[in-house]
């Protein structure tokens, strides 16, 4: 059983629930998703974490009353061997935890650096990360959850284009290329758009909005290896 802690502050969190559900079936793994809303839900029994994309300022504000972010950052510090997936705003939080905390990434990130919301785009990203294969489970279209959310898959089926990944960049940040001193794992042309530092995987795009669950499988698989 893998227990995944998912930060439910704001943003594309329901899509991560869906993606983790499919990824767990693809790997034939039992997974419990712990929806984290307060700091005191963050405990040692979590095997890995997901910090979704959305709006990092809104997330910081939403965290204030229940101290979720500070608990998550302490957890990451205390469990450097356990994997963390931060997508878009989640990557911003990993790079800039705030409150005088050291970055979890040896890379600087610049918010909204592609421009405004209307400058959002989709483009193929090249991957350089080993991810476990999907087995023969194929996902069905996601149905609505109890909050009436229905994830919007950009691409229904995972394609088998090997290193290519459907990158969804929504008012995305950019890594300051000259600052990157950890492992690049995703590229948009020449530009690095995903990095791995220790067990923290930070992507400036939104894999949870696609039907390609490689990063979610990586997280679950990595959780097994490190526990
Ligand atoms: N622009 C957002 C921020 O600065 C990130 C965008 C996203 O997560 N899609 O927090």
């Amino acid at each position: 059983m893998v227990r995944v802690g998912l930060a439910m502050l704001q943003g594309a969190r329901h899509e991560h629930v869906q993606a983790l559900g499919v990824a767990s079936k693809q790997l034939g793994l039992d997974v419990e998703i712990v929806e984290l809303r307060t700091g005191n839900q963050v405990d040692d029994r979590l095997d890995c974490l997901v910090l979704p994309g959305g709006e990092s300022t809104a997330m910081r504000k939403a965290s204030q009353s229940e101290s979720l972010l500070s608990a998550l950052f302490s957890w990451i510090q205390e469990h450097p061997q356990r994997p963390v997936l931060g997508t878009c705003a989640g990557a911003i939080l990993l790079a800039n935890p705030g409150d005088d905390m050291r970055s979890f990434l040896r890379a600087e990130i610049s918010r909204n650096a592609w421009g405004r919301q209307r400058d959002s785009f989709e483009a193929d990203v090249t991957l350089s990360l080993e991810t476990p294969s999907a087995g023969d489970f194929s996902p069905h279209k996601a149905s609505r959850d109890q909050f009436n959310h229905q994830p919007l898959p950009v691409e229904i089926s995972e394609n088998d284009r090997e290193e290519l990944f459907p990158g969804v960049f929504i008012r995305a940040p950019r890594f300051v290329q000259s600052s990157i001193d950890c492992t690049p794992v995703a590229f948009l042309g020449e530009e690095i758009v995903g990095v791995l530092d220790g067990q923290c995987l930070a992507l400036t795009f939104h894999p949870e909005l696609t039907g390609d669950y490689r990063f979610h499988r990586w997280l679950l698989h990595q959780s097994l290896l490190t526990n």
Side-chain angles (χ1 to χ4, degrees):
M1 160 76 78
V2 177
R3 295 183 86 235
V4 185
L6 173 61
M8 298 299 284
L9 289 168
Q10 185 267 345
R13 53 227 188 274
H14 303 285
E15 285 74 6
H16 275 294
V17 173
Q18 150 75 9
L20 288 163
V22 176
S24 68
K25 294 202 177 80
Q26 290 175 331
L27 294 175
L29 271 183
D30 268 349
V31 168
E32 182 189 352
I33 299 172
V34 184
E35 298 191 359
L36 302 170
R37 295 188 170 80
T38 66
N40 55 23
Q41 289 178 285
V42 180
D43 64 29
D44 278 347
R45 295 182 308 135
L46 298 172
D47 296 308
C48 59
L49 285 185
V50 177
L51 305 182
E55 227 300 319
S56 54
T57 309
M59 291 178 185
R60 291 186 207 275
K61 285 202 181 114
S63 166
Q64 272 165 8
S65 62
E66 301 291 349
S67 309
L68 179 60
L69 283 180
S70 51
L72 292 175
F73 296 145
S74 303
W75 185 94
I76 299 172
Q77 268 178 341
E78 286 159 23
H79 303 96
Q81 76 289 6
R82 298 193 195 176
V84 179
L85 173 62
T87 59
C88 208
I92 296 172
L93 295 173
L94 288 174
N96 297 320
D99 290 336
D100 295 330
M101 271 196 126
R102 269 187 53 202
S103 170
F104 295 103
L105 305 176
R106 280 165 295 168
E108 287 167 28
I109 205 162
S110 173
R111 289 182 64 199
N112 306 332
W114 293 104
R116 308 174 70 122
Q117 192 74 17
R118 62 166 180 262
D119 302 312
S120 300
F121 60 96
E122 292 174 32
D124 278 341
V125 164
T126 314
L127 291 197
S128 140
L129 179 73
E130 282 213 21
T131 56
S133 64
D136 47 21
F137 176 82
S138 61
H140 301 289
K141 197 161 176 287
S143 51
R144 291 181 188 279
D145 67 11
Q146 75 266 39
F147 304 106
N148 206 28
H149 278 85
Q150 183 169 35
L152 289 173
V154 169
E155 203 150 315
I156 301 286
S157 61
E158 184 168 330
N159 55 49
D160 52 6
R161 296 176 304 161
E162 298 274 310
E163 313 82 40
L164 288 185
F165 191 93
V168 179
F169 293 83
I170 303 175
R171 208 174 176 222
R174 289 173 97 158
F175 290 111
V176 178
Q177 300 291 298
S178 59
S179 73
I180 298 174
D181 197 16
C182 51
T183 311
V185 297
F187 301 84
L188 180 65
E190 303 277 289
E191 175 158 340
I192 297 168
V193 291
V195 298
L196 179 64
D197 196 338
Q199 289 285 58
C200 285
L201 180 57
L203 310 172
T204 58
F205 49 98
H206 283 267
E208 73 284 5
L209 298 182
T210 76
D212 192 324
Y213 303 105
R214 272 180 274 181
F215 291 107
H216 295 86
R217 293 202 299 274
W218 175 88
L219 182 81
L220 298 177
H221 180 69
Q222 212 63 20
S223 306
L224 287 181
L225 294 182
T226 53
N227 282 307

